[in-house]
């Protein structure tokens, strides 16, 4: 029994021993065990030393000295083949650099935890209503109070001012001083920071009740604003800051890196309102709400709880809450919003680029293994084990991968800096993007994976051949079929990326070539916000803007001037319901509103289709009038003249305020150049009185001079006011297409890299194929074949792999078209021009990559080739 167990232990331990010594080691140990057992000794006790001896042999075989010798040999071999080394390292660096850079962006925007306490328990609340096509609308103050008082699943609900988009509703505030400046403030409830779980780095945040009127004149600064405005002075807490002419006490400074939503906020102020007053406000919907789930609650249970509350509110307030629902989403998903899908697609695209790079380097290594077949056979004949041969090839692959990874990280870092320089406004969490620890760990893991992919496969291929020495050395089942498979895969991936490149380029071209509806050259805009004191609701704001515009129109270089509450490409100011006199069947729920002064239509160059535009005489006390856009006229007055018709924004009643349509103007873009135009009315600013308007000037002046003219006109009327958001309309249009421009640039970069990698891969396979057929080529030329005949033969045979890859890639691109269709404008995801252009580009690169090695082989004298063979 002892002898049998001893033999079993030795049999198990033999697998630890290096392969070249394994059989001899087992024979020696079994002989010792048999001798010991025959003499009556303890064979089992003796066999216990077998594992230790086997491990000692293994350690000796993998000693640092032997590994270092393999490294030195690998470095020498790579230095003697500079083309192979440079091509492999550059290919790998491109793939890892693109992937690392894109992962840095994705990690910072999508994956990095938010700087709040238990951010996974924070949710965003919003309202839904099928009557208004609301899916993620702002919430009514009274509904928020009801949710907070009745919920059983939420541990605190806070609210803040909303905007017309998912972003928070920041207010531009004037900071008093010798040179008044602007800052961005967000009005929030007193428990806002408690719900988020964020404490002040200095001082404190708001206390309960500090959001009631009279106690709301305290502010909490962001860390960045504290450093910029106060030079990071610790004594800033307790100081006074004058906002819009009213003194506010600084009570705290937030931690560095704190950010809420996707827009930079300079400081936070309490939203002054009593809870009892808010409870009665079921219209309008002006808040956003954030809440924290209780420990035992889930998204599903919270949704059920809130839906039940919404149903109760609909019964209690049928007029304001008809079909009003409530939804919730994790706060990180809410902040990322529409950026998640394109970023995920970009990460998938660079993943394809990395696959191409790995396939390329693997193909190069396969070619290398093919070239070194005689060396491997000689080393095997001299006693080198298969494991030792694999180790040598893997070490060389690791050297290439290590250098390529280091260069790739450097390329990724440069790419991140370039992306941040070009990042579109509104991209969430831009400050969190960078090469941090998580990204470096990712790059290291990527390097290990790449080493395995590009090193193990060709090493196993090289070690699997039959050993036969002599001039007739051949590989049994050489790697050429595998290399062809890699090329076909590369071409298929390149087709997908190139189709995306051409689709994105054509979509962006269609977007920027769209006519905005007015001449943008010569238009300069500056926004002005008037404080409540001394500008109230008594006509002073309207008088201020008319005075400024009058001064601007008097300037010789100014052709015209006007002002509006919302500019083209800024989105919607506010939306409401539409009722038309004598048309009881018309009830539109998403009518857009824009308040304008006299001269706005003329300054913008909008085409007056019917009637007149807003005049200076359309002021408080005159008949209420509006101008409508062409889309609204077509939709609601298709067979009649809209001028003279009356509309209202509330259901008809004896007290309803009817407004007469006095004109129709051509459409101008609203959300962006690529979004459909919706029905819109232009209210007379003199009858509505907005304290914040954008002044628009058309002139022949350079932008800086035009802005200076507006600043002088404003300061002449009120020197305490600050101007902000100054820009030409060319700049505004550029900002509006920033996201598609960056997307097109990224996809184009991926496509260009894919085209280069495909060309390198095809060239590598073609060069190897031509070299392996040198004897055949020599024979054909010797027996009368022309170089053109041989070239056509080689192209026909090698291009078959490319054509197969094109077909496979085209099918994959067509199947994946639905993923990108929502991101395109003016072009179909199955656009034949894009598919044809991708195929032509790849075929051109493939032919060039095939012709170069073929012509080189044909330039050699056939007699020399046959003599060498």
């Amino acid at each position: 029994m002892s002898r049998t167990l001893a033999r079993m232990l030795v049999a198990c331990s033999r697998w630890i021993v290096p392969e070249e010594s394994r059989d001899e080691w087992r024979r020696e140990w079994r002989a010792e065990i048999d001798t010991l057992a025959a003499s009556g000794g303890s064979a089992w006790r003796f066999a216990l030393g077998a594992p230790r001896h086997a491990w000692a042999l293994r350690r000796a075989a993998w000693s640092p000295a032997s590994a270092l010798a393999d490294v030195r040999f690998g470095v020498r071999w790579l230095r003697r083949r500079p083309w192979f080394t440079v091509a492999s390292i550059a290919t790998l660096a491109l793939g890892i650099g693109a992937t690392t850079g894109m992962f840095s962006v994705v990690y910072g925007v999508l994956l990095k935890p938010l700087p709040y306490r238990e951010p996974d328990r924070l949710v965003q609340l919003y309202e839904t209503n099928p009557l208004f096509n609301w899916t993620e609308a702002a919430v009514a103050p009274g509904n928020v109070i009801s949710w907070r008082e009745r919920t059983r699943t939420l541990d605190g609900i806070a609210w803040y001012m909303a905007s017309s988009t998912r972003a928070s509703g920041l207010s531009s505030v004037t900071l008093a001083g010798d040179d008044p400046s602007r800052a961005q403030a967000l009005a929030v409830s007193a428990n806002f920071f408690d719900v988020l779980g964020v404490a002040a780095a200095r001082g404190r945040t708001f206390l309960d009740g500090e959001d009631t009127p009279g106690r709301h004149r305290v502010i909490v600064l962001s860390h960045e604003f504290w450093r910029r405005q106060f030079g990071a002075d610790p004594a800033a807490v307790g100081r006074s800051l004058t906002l819009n002419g009213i003194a506010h006490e600084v009570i705290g400074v937030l931690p560095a890196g704190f950010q809420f939503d996707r827009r930079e906020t300079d400081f936070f102020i309490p939203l002054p309102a009593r809870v009892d007053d808010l409870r009665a406000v079921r219209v309008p919907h002006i808040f956003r709400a954030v809440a924290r789930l209780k420990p035992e609650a889930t998204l599903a249970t919270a949704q059920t709880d809130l839906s039940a509350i919404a149903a109760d509110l609909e019964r209690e307030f049928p007029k304001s809450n008809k079909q009003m629902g409530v939804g919730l989403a994790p706060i990180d998903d809410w902040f990322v919003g529409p950026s998640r899908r394109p970023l995920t697609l970009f990460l998938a695209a660079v993943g394809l680029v990395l696959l191409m790079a790995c396939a390329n380097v693997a193909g190069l290594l396969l070619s290398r293994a093919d070239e070194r077949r005689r060396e491997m056979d000689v080393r095997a004949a001299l006693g080198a084990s298969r494991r030792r041969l694999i180790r040598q090839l893997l070490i060389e692959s690791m050297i290439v991968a290590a250098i390529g990874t280091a260069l790739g990280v450097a390329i990724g870092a440069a790419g991140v800096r370039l992306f941040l320089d070009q990042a579109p406004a509104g991209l969430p969490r831009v400050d969190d993007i960078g090469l941090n620890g998580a990204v470096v760990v990712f790059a290291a893991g990527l390097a290990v994976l790449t080493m395995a992919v590009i090193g193990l496969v060709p090493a196993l291929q090289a070690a699997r051949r039959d050993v036969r020495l002599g001039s007739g050395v051949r590989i049994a089942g050489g790697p050429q079929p595998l290399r062809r498979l890699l090329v076909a895969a590369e071409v298929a991936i390149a087709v997908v990326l190139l189709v995306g490149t051409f689709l994105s380029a054509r979509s962006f071209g269609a977007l920027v070539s769209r006519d905005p509806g007015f001449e943008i050259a010569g238009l300069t805009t500056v926004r002005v916000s008037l404080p409540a004191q001394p500008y109230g609701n008594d006509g002073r704001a309207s008088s201020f803007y008319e005075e400024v515009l009058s001064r601007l129109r008097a300037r010789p270089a100014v052709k015209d001037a006007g002002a509006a509450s919302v500019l083209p490409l800024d989105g919607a100011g506010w939306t409401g319901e539409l009722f038309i006199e004598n048309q009881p069947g018309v009830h539109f729920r998403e009518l857009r509103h824009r308040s304008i002064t006299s001269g706005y239509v003329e300054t913008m160059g909008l085409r007056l289709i019917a009637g007149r535009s807003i005049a200076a005489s359309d002021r408080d006390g005159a008949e209420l009038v509006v101008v409508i856009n062409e889309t609204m006229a077509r939709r609601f007055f298709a067979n009649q003249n809209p001028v003279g018709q009356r509309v209202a924004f509330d259901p008809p009643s004896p007290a309803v305020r009817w407004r007469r349509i006095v004109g129709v103007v051509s459409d101008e873009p609203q959300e962006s150049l690529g979004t459909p135009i919706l029905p819109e009315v232009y209210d007379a600013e003199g009858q509505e009185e907005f304290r914040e308007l954008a002044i628009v000037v058309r002139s022949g002046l350079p932008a800086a001079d035009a802005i200076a003219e507006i600043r002088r006109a404003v300061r002449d009327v009120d020197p305490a006011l600050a101007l902000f958001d100054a820009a030409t309309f060319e700049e505004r249009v550029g900002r509006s297409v920033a996201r598609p421009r960056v997307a097109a640039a990224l996809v184009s970069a991926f496509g260009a890299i894919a085209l280069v990698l495909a060309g390198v891969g095809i060239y590598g396979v073609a060069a190897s194929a031509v070299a392996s057929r040198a004897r055949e080529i020599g024979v054909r030329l010797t027996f009368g074949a022309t170089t053109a005949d041989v070239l056509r033969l080689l192209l026909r045979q090698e291009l078959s792999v490319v054509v197969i890859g094109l077909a496979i890639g085209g099918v994959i691109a067509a199947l994946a078209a639905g993923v990108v269709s929502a991101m395109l404008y003016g072009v179909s995801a199955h656009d034949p021009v894009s598919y044809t252009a991708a195929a032509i580009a790849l075929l051109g690169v493939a032919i060039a990559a095939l012709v170069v090695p073929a012509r080189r082989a044909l330039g050699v004298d056939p007699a020399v080739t046959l003599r060498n063979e």
Side-chain angles (χ1 to χ4, degrees):
M1 183 67 177
S2 174
R3 179 180 179 181
T4 302
L5 292 176
R7 279 174 170 262
M8 292 177 60
L9 182 59
V10 169
C12 293
S13 301
R14 68 182 288 269
W15 297 106
I16 305 176
V17 179
E19 182 181 3
E20 61 267 23
S21 307
R22 188 173 296 159
D23 293 338
E24 182 180 355
W25 180 87
R26 185 183 63 171
R27 286 194 297 270
E28 290 178 356
W29 272 87
R30 292 186 65 173
E32 291 288 346
I33 288 172
D34 292 343
T35 302
L36 192 60
S39 63
S42 176
W44 167 249
R45 183 172 299 176
F46 175 75
L48 291 177
R52 184 172 56 185
H53 185 234
W55 181 246
L57 293 176
R58 166 64 63 187
R59 291 184 60 187
W62 283 83
S63 64
S66 64
L68 186 60
D70 287 342
V71 171
R72 287 197 296 266
F73 181 83
V75 170
R76 287 197 302 270
W77 191 91
L78 292 172
R79 289 179 61 184
R80 288 198 299 268
R81 291 156 180 84
W83 186 92
F84 165 83
T85 304
V86 171
S88 300
I89 291 175
T91 299
L92 196 57
L94 280 176
I96 290 182
T99 309
T100 303
M102 199 67 237
F103 183 82
S104 300
V105 177
V106 171
Y107 177 82
V109 177
L110 302 183
L111 304 178
K112 186 176 181 180
L114 292 168
Y116 313 138
R117 175 174 54 86
E118 296 181 303
D120 56 316
R121 305 204 65 80
L122 287 173
V123 295
Q124 185 81 25
L125 307 180
Y126 51 84
E127 289 191 316
T128 62
N129 196 313
L131 293 176
F132 298 91
N133 295 321
W134 288 355
T135 55
E136 296 172 342
V139 301
N143 293 342
V144 178
I145 300 301
S146 296
W147 298 343
R148 188 173 75 169
E149 293 174 344
R150 304 183 190 187
T151 181
R152 298 186 303 273
T153 56
L154 300 180
D155 189 12
I157 299 178
W159 51 86
Y160 56 97
M161 287 302 296
S163 74
S164 59
T165 65
R166 280 184 170 212
S168 55
L170 297 182
S171 299
S172 296
V173 181
T174 301
L175 301 178
D178 295 336
D179 185 14
S181 58
R182 301 296 294 178
Q184 298 297 319
L186 180 61
V188 301
S189 60
N191 66 333
F192 178 77
F193 294 106
D194 294 334
V195 171
L196 292 182
V198 175
R202 295 184 180 274
R204 62 175 177 85
T205 56
F206 303 127
L207 302 176
D208 288 342
E210 281 190 327
D211 53 357
T212 57
R215 296 186 58 194
H216 66 285
R217 291 174 182 173
V218 291
I219 59 173
V220 176
L221 308 180
S222 72
H223 194 273
E224 291 71 21
F225 182 78
W226 172 60
R227 294 180 65 87
R228 185 172 68 248
Q229 187 73 17
F230 293 96
D233 184 1
V237 176
R239 289 186 185 176
S240 178
L241 198 63
T242 302
L243 312 176
N244 288 344
I246 300 175
H248 289 68
E249 180 188 358
V250 177
I251 61 171
V253 178
L254 294 170
F258 172 84
Q259 185 180 11
F260 185 75
D261 210 338
R262 68 193 72 177
R263 303 164 69 185
E264 182 179 349
T265 306
D266 293 320
F267 49 81
F268 296 80
I269 59 177
L271 203 161
R274 294 181 178 86
V275 172
D276 290 339
D277 296 336
L278 292 177
R279 189 179 288 108
V281 181
R282 305 288 166 173
V283 176
H285 301 256
I286 57 174
F287 285 176
R288 292 287 181 192
V290 60
R292 181 173 290 276
L293 294 173
K294 289 184 176 181
E296 68 279 4
T298 64
L299 286 174
T301 58
Q303 181 65 72
T304 301
D305 177 33
L306 292 172
S307 296
I309 297 173
D312 292 339
L313 294 177
E314 183 177 5
R315 288 189 293 271
E316 296 170 20
F317 307 98
K319 184 177 179 180
S320 61
N321 283 58
K322 183 178 180 181
Q323 297 192 36
M324 195 69 66
V326 58
L328 73 163
I331 196 168
D332 54 349
D333 287 350
W334 177 265
F335 287 166
V336 170
S339 300
R340 179 177 297 276
R341 185 172 188 180
L343 286 177
T344 304
L345 289 176
F346 293 152
L347 186 61
V350 295
L352 294 178
V353 171
L354 181 62
L355 282 178
M356 289 189 66
C358 290
N360 241 343
V361 179
L364 291 171
L365 291 174
L366 284 171
S367 299
R368 177 200 66 173
D370 193 8
E371 295 170 3
R372 299 177 67 180
R373 61 183 182 269
R374 185 184 298 274
E375 173 196 337
M376 295 294 108
D377 289 339
V378 170
R379 295 183 66 178
L382 294 176
S385 66
R386 180 172 298 178
R387 187 182 299 271
R388 182 61 185 268
L389 296 179
I390 292 175
R391 187 178 80 175
Q392 177 64 52
L393 294 174
L394 278 178
I395 286 177
E396 294 171 7
S397 301
M398 291 170 64
I399 294 172
V400 172
I403 299 174
T405 300
L407 290 177
V409 171
I411 292 173
V416 169
R417 287 194 297 270
L418 181 62
F419 178 85
L420 291 176
D421 291 340
Q422 303 295 324
L427 181 68
R429 308 183 65 184
V430 173
D431 294 338
D432 291 330
I433 297 174
L435 281 179
N436 50 31
V439 176
V440 173
V441 169
F442 169 78
L446 204 59
V448 172
L449 178 63
T450 304
M451 289 175 190
V453 171
I454 69 173
L456 189 58
V457 174
L460 291 174
Q461 186 76 43
R464 199 180 295 130
R465 64 171 55 93
D466 298 335
V467 179
R468 294 195 298 171
L469 299 179
S471 62
V473 173
R474 290 293 180 267
I475 300 173
Q480 192 70 23
L482 179 57
R483 290 204 298 272
R484 291 177 179 273
L485 179 63
L486 290 175
V487 167
E490 279 191 71
V491 172
I493 295 173
V495 168
V496 175
L497 293 174
L498 280 175
V499 167
T501 297
F502 286 111
L503 285 175
S504 180
R506 284 174 56 78
S507 173
F508 182 69
L511 183 65
V512 297
S513 62
R514 176 177 173 175
D515 182 11
F518 56 89
E519 177 59 45
I520 65 174
L523 284 177
T524 307
T525 71
V526 175
R527 191 167 287 275
V528 180
S529 182
L530 306 179
Q533 294 295 333
Y535 300 96
N537 295 323
D538 55 358
R540 293 186 182 182
S542 296
S543 298
F544 166 82
Y545 285 111
E546 284 297 339
E547 176 65 20
V548 170
L549 294 175
S550 177
R551 290 173 178 268
L552 285 171
R553 291 169 188 145
R555 313 273 175 159
V558 175
K559 299 177 182 177
D560 214 333
S565 58
V566 179
L567 291 174
L569 308 175
D570 280 354
W574 65 282
T575 60
E577 300 180 80
L578 170 68
F579 301 89
I580 302 177
E581 188 178 33
N582 299 323
Q583 294 189 38
V586 174
H587 181 198
F588 184 60
R589 302 178 185 274
E590 283 294 300
L591 181 66
R592 292 179 169 236
H593 291 255
R594 188 183 313 214
S595 292
I596 62 174
T597 66
S598 62
Y600 173 79
V601 171
E602 294 76 11
T603 303
M604 294 298 297
L606 300 179
R607 184 165 44 91
L608 189 62
I609 298 173
R612 65 175 178 87
S613 61
I614 297 297
S617 58
D618 296 321
R619 302 181 64 84
D620 190 22
E623 180 185 21
L624 297 177
V625 298
V626 295
V627 170
I628 66 174
N629 69 349
E630 190 175 3
T631 295
M632 181 172 172
R634 283 196 307 266
R635 180 162 181 175
F636 299 108
F637 304 97
N639 300 316
Q640 54 186 310
N641 184 7
V643 176
Q645 304 276 0
R646 296 204 302 174
V647 298
F649 310 140
D650 299 303
S653 68
V656 71
R657 301 175 69 195
W658 291 103
R659 301 162 190 266
R660 190 172 302 280
I661 299 174
V662 297
V664 180
V665 297
S666 57
D667 292 332
E668 55 183 341
Q670 295 162 340
E671 299 288 350
S672 67
L673 290 177
T675 53
I677 304 297
L678 299 176
E680 185 171 27
V681 297
Y682 295 80
D683 304 313
E685 189 279 329
Q687 296 173 341
E688 296 296 332
E689 192 156 23
F690 275 66
R691 289 205 302 271
E692 182 176 310
L693 294 180
I695 297 175
V696 186
V697 166
R698 183 177 293 278
S699 70
L701 296 172
D705 295 340
I707 293 171
E709 288 285 357
I710 300 174
R711 178 176 287 106
R712 278 193 290 270
V714 171
R715 296 288 172 84
D716 288 345
V717 180
D718 189 341
L721 297 177
L723 282 65
F724 62 104
D725 197 19
T728 64
F729 251 94
E730 287 93 339
E731 294 170 334
R732 288 186 173 274
V733 171
R735 290 202 299 256
S736 73
V737 298
R739 289 197 178 210
R741 183 181 65 246
V742 172
L746 283 174
V747 175
S748 298
F750 301 154
I753 294 173
L755 198 61
V756 171
L757 293 179
V760 172
I762 295 169
Y763 175 83
V765 170
S768 177
V770 170
S772 65
R773 301 176 65 177
R775 181 185 179 89
E776 174 193 345
I777 293 173
V779 170
R780 288 180 178 274
L781 293 176
T782 300
F783 284 94
T786 65
T787 57
D789 294 333
V790 177
L791 184 60
R792 280 195 297 271
L793 175 65
L794 293 175
L795 287 177
R796 184 170 62 251
Q797 292 178 348
E798 300 301 328
L799 275 178
S800 62
V801 179
V802 177
V803 172
I804 293 173
L806 287 174
I808 296 173
V811 172
I812 296 174
L815 293 176
V819 179
V820 300
S821 59
M823 300 172 59
L824 301 177
Y825 172 78
V827 61
S828 168
H830 296 94
D831 175 47
V833 174
S834 298
Y835 283 75
T836 304
I840 291 174
L842 274 170
L843 277 175
V845 169
I847 292 173
L850 291 170
V851 166
V852 172
R855 290 184 64 85
R856 185 183 300 121
L858 292 171
V860 178
D861 187 351
V864 175
T865 301
L866 294 175
R867 186 165 54 250
N868 291 336
E869 285 289 322

